[in-house]
Amino acid sequence: MAVERTHKVTLIPGDGIGPEVSAAVVKIVEAAGAASGVGFEWHTYAAGADAFEKTGEYIPKELYESVQQNKVALKGPVTTPVGGGFASINVTLRKKFDLYANFRPVKSLPGLETKYPNIDLIIFRENTEDLYAGLEHEIVPGVAESLKIITEKGSTRIALSAFEYARKHGRKKIHAIHKANIMKLTDGLFLRCCRKVAESFPEIEYKEHIVDNTCMQLVLNPYQYDIILTENLYGDILSDLCSAFVGGLGLVPGANLGVECAIFEAVHGSAPDIAGQNKANPTALLQSAVLMLHHLNETETANKVQAAIEQVYREGKKLTRDVGGSSGTSDFADAVLEALASPVAAS
Ligand code: NAI
């Protein structure tokens, strides 16, 4: 089919398993788009240690300019050194483009057996503040301090994102997750903002849980949660926990949303333990690309890719090792391409 419209997308393949999963995703998105007359122009940039080697900058200025121009990016994971070295590329990009809402849908895939079937919950994580503000210093040797920043503006806008989403998509319940019993000022402010926003959405049930209890409640009965609304650090930790409900980090997608720009990336990191071995599951980044296609109003292409992913999981023959299969990244990607070409309706 002739290309009717082309989207310019900044592509940051990342490192570790990033290049493998992004190559698979680009191939699938292009194939799905081509069948509907949708083209993609990928503007590709390295970030992190790889970029530093090539350009002397961890985030090249061309990458910033590209995201600013295209407004949309698809990003693989980037390794962040532990306990020293350069600042997280992910956190830096989120702050630079004010991508304040981190949207992470956690949904079971058909055919994939897990301890908790039919999970469908969403995490809205504040993405620019909290202990991720990067305000750390050593006061004297042996004493270090990290500042937790919570603002009315930041808390209100993430709460609004969650409530507006719930209203638009018919979700019934929002839990604000906090530790305001201990951090009375910071988490207290976060909760006050959530409560105020909740007042304008009387049709949505609003509840509050303390974060440590939430971990237990999630493991006991994740079905009690619909939307989880929380600060940056709790959201980061709860996202990995919740990924286990649906088969692990290889599956859960994410979107970093701001007013102007959006960067789509999986919840998982660069997985150095399996990098370069054709073992990574590209589903999480692929489902992030599905979120991106919806964001670009390419609903038909988004639905086609999602249906093809689900077909491959229902058939269960070409799954990666993390979800109990024995296929490689490329075999899984080929299976999704085949499913795109020969869709079978779900029974
Ligand atoms: P990780 O998410 O990379 O890996 C945790 C475990 O999950 C590993 O056993 C890994 O093999 C497995 N896993 C992750 N993604 C997978 C996939 N797609 N398919 C199959 N298995 C998968 O977390 P880790 O090891 O704590 O972090 C590694 C690096 O990634 C660190 O440098 C960290 O800072 C960075 N990171 C980057 C993120 C980003 O770019 N958005 C997010 C999280 C971590």
Side-chain angles (χ1 to χ4, degrees), residues 36-58:
S36 309
V38 183
F40 296 89
E41 199 178 293
W42 305 97
H43 300 172
T44 307
Y45 295 92
D50 289 352
F52 190 77
E53 248 174 53
K54 287 181 202 146
T55 67
E57 290 172 302
Y58 290 106

Side-chain angles (χ1 to χ4, degrees), residues 1-5 33-38 300 304:
M1 188 170 181
V3 176
E4 289 167 7
R5 56 192 175 277
S36 309
V38 183
E300 187 187 326
K304 272 188 198 161

Side-chain angles (χ1 to χ4, degrees), residues 25-158:
V25 169
V26 164
K27 228 167 145 181
I28 293 164
V29 168
E30 284 192 343
S36 309
V38 183
F40 296 89
E41 199 178 293
W42 305 97
H43 300 172
T44 307
Y45 295 92
D50 289 352
F52 190 77
E53 248 174 53
K54 287 181 202 146
T55 67
E57 290 172 302
Y58 290 106
I59 304 180
K61 82 171 183 326
E62 291 77 12
L63 189 163
Y64 282 128
E65 286 165 5
S66 174
V67 176
Q68 195 71 61
Q69 271 168 21
N70 295 336
K71 313 274 185 234
V72 175
L74 183 65
K75 178 185 163 295
V78 180
T79 304
T80 310
V82 174
F86 59 90
S88 160
I89 301 303
N90 316 306
V91 173
T92 307
L93 287 173
R94 291 168 193 169
K95 281 202 281 191
K96 167 82 183 166
F97 294 106
D98 202 18
L99 307 174
Y100 62 88
N102 193 344
F103 170 75
R104 293 176 157 180
V106 182
K107 197 165 190 302
S108 301
L109 281 167
L112 186 60
E113 266 189 43
T114 56
K115 291 198 179 83
Y116 301 87
N118 302 319
I119 291 287
D120 181 8
L121 63 87
I122 296 173
I123 297 173
F124 274 87
R125 164 190 174 192
E126 201 292 320
N127 219 13
T128 53
E129 305 190 329
D130 198 356
L131 285 158
Y132 288 57
L135 300 172
E136 281 194 311
H137 65 133
E138 187 178 63
I139 301 170
V140 290
V143 184
E145 186 177 49
S146 180
L147 297 182
K148 172 166 169 136
I149 307 295
I150 299 291
T151 67
E152 188 177 338
K153 179 182 168 197
S155 304
T156 302
R157 62 185 182 173
I158 189 65

Side-chain angles (χ1 to χ4, degrees), residues 140-287:
V140 290
V143 184
E145 186 177 49
S146 180
L147 297 182
K148 172 166 169 136
I149 307 295
I150 299 291
T151 67
E152 188 177 338
K153 179 182 168 197
S155 304
T156 302
R157 62 185 182 173
I158 189 65
L160 263 176
S161 300
F163 277 93
E164 280 169 356
Y165 179 91
R167 178 170 279 170
K168 189 165 172 204
H169 294 89
R171 309 291 296 217
K172 302 273 179 275
K173 192 167 38 174
I174 293 184
H175 279 83
I177 307 301
H178 66 94
K179 189 76 187 174
N181 49 330
I182 306 297
M183 281 161 278
K184 295 178 194 298
L185 288 183
T186 47
D187 286 18
L189 172 59
F190 176 75
L191 276 190
R192 278 203 308 282
C193 297
C194 293
R195 286 175 196 162
K196 195 162 174 214
V197 171
E199 283 170 13
S200 306
F201 297 82
E203 79 278 21
I204 295 158
E205 188 182 353
Y206 172 70
K207 291 186 150 189
E208 295 171 355
H209 277 177
I210 294 174
V211 64
D212 36 355
N213 174 36
T214 304
C215 294
M216 181 198 70
Q217 295 291 345
L218 273 166
V219 175
L220 279 178
N221 176 18
Y223 303 102
Q224 65 187 295
Y225 296 99
D226 184 0
I227 290 182
I228 286 178
L229 160 62
T230 192
E231 295 169 11
N232 208 338
L233 178 61
Y234 310 143
D236 194 0
I237 295 167
L238 292 177
S239 299
D240 277 34
L241 194 164
C242 290
S243 81
F245 296 142
V246 296
L249 282 167
L251 301 167
V252 179
N256 302 289
L257 306 168
V259 174
E260 274 196 24
C261 302
I263 300 184
F264 296 83
E265 64 177 341
V267 170
H268 66 71
S270 57
D273 53 335
I274 55 166
Q277 298 169 44
N278 194 30
K279 286 183 180 165
N281 187 346
T283 306
L285 188 66
L286 189 52
Q287 295 203 103

